[in-house]
Amino acid sequence: MAGEIPPAQPPPAVPGPDPVPDTVGHPYLVLWRWRRNPLRRPSDRLRAWVSLGLVLAVLVAAPAAMFGVGDSAYRHYRTTADHEARTRDHRPAVLTHDAPRHPEPGSDEAKKARYPVPVRFTGPDGAPRTGTTEVAPGLPADSTVLVWVDARGRITEPPLTAEQIRSRTMGWAILAFLGVVLTGLAAHAVTGLVLHRRNLAQWDAAWANTAPRWCGFP
């Protein structure tokens, strides 16, 4: 019918941007510094060789450092444990005060809890001594417990166990491995920063020579 308003039509579809190709991890782009192209600079090739050298150095040095440091740490703690075993005695000691009671007797937490309590014992020289050791909660005074005593007659920790030696050795070995890896990453970052600044300086020098001809200056 004349004069009738036509129904609204949807707007035409606007073509969107072309999808970005998924090039992450593509070997052609990962190794772009190695392939021949007119835009490759000498610094790009240098950075590629430096990166390769650092990777190989870390692959060799990290396991060597881990085993070397681990072996040294094991020898150290093994010697320390042997010395402690020779110079420390397990001696009986008598509580001079009641041990505090746990607020929840019989619970799992109470079984693991330990409280410091003064005790008296006989030192390696035969003289009576006093000290403080941790005991189970609720022990009454005059109870007898065993304490480790060093050559000077002081209450001390027990000698290192095999599990403690193994744990500390592994800790030092892992720290050595991570130290080499982090050093390699730091060297790679510093090298990249130095080469990047060098490229910027070269670009500034090249533009200073080219800009007058582009801008029409003599």
Side-chain angles (χ1 to χ4, degrees):
M1 193 165 86
E4 184 178 353
I5 300 176
Q9 300 294 326
V14 178
D18 296 335
V20 178
D22 183 12
T23 58
V24 177
H26 198 288
Y28 186 74
L29 295 179
V30 173
L31 302 177
W32 69 271
R33 289 189 177 90
W34 295 95
R35 69 180 190 269
R36 295 180 178 276
N37 65 81
L39 298 180
R40 186 182 64 181
R41 299 156 297 185
S43 60
D44 295 330
R45 184 186 305 175
L46 176 60
R47 186 171 183 181
W49 281 109
V50 169
S51 300
L52 178 61
L54 288 174
V55 169
L56 295 177
V58 169
L59 291 177
V60 173
M66 181 177 66
F67 287 110
V69 172
D71 182 68
S72 298
Y74 176 81
R75 293 176 182 271
H76 168 72
Y77 289 119
R78 183 71 266 174
T79 301
T80 300
D82 293 340
H83 174 74
E84 292 176 348
R86 291 192 306 267
T87 58
R88 297 181 181 182
D89 294 330
H90 218 188
R91 293 175 172 269
V94 178
L95 275 65
T96 59
H97 292 82
D98 294 339
R101 295 186 177 277
H102 195 273
E104 298 179 2
S107 63
D108 293 338
E109 183 180 352
K111 296 177 182 178
K112 299 177 182 178
R114 293 294 183 270
Y115 294 105
V117 178
V119 295
R120 65 175 182 271
F121 59 96
T122 302
D125 55 358
R129 297 177 181 272
T130 58
T132 302
T133 188
E134 293 186 348
V135 300
L139 282 181
D142 296 329
S143 298
T144 300
V145 295
L146 294 176
V147 296
W148 284 96
V149 180
D150 61 15
R152 297 183 180 181
R154 299 174 301 185
I155 295 178
T156 185
E157 295 292 330
L160 292 174
T161 63
E163 181 62 29
Q164 289 175 322
I165 294 174
R166 188 181 306 108
S167 175
R168 297 184 183 187
T169 299
M170 288 298 298
W172 281 107
I174 293 173
L175 285 178
F177 182 88
L178 294 178
V180 173
V181 173
L182 292 178
T183 300
L185 292 175
H188 182 270
V190 171
T191 302
L193 179 61
V194 171
L195 292 177
H196 179 65
R197 290 182 176 179
R198 179 183 176 184
N199 290 337
L200 291 180
Q202 292 176 348
W203 288 338
D204 289 342
W207 179 248
N209 294 329
T210 306
R213 289 179 293 174
W214 281 30
C215 299
F217 294 105

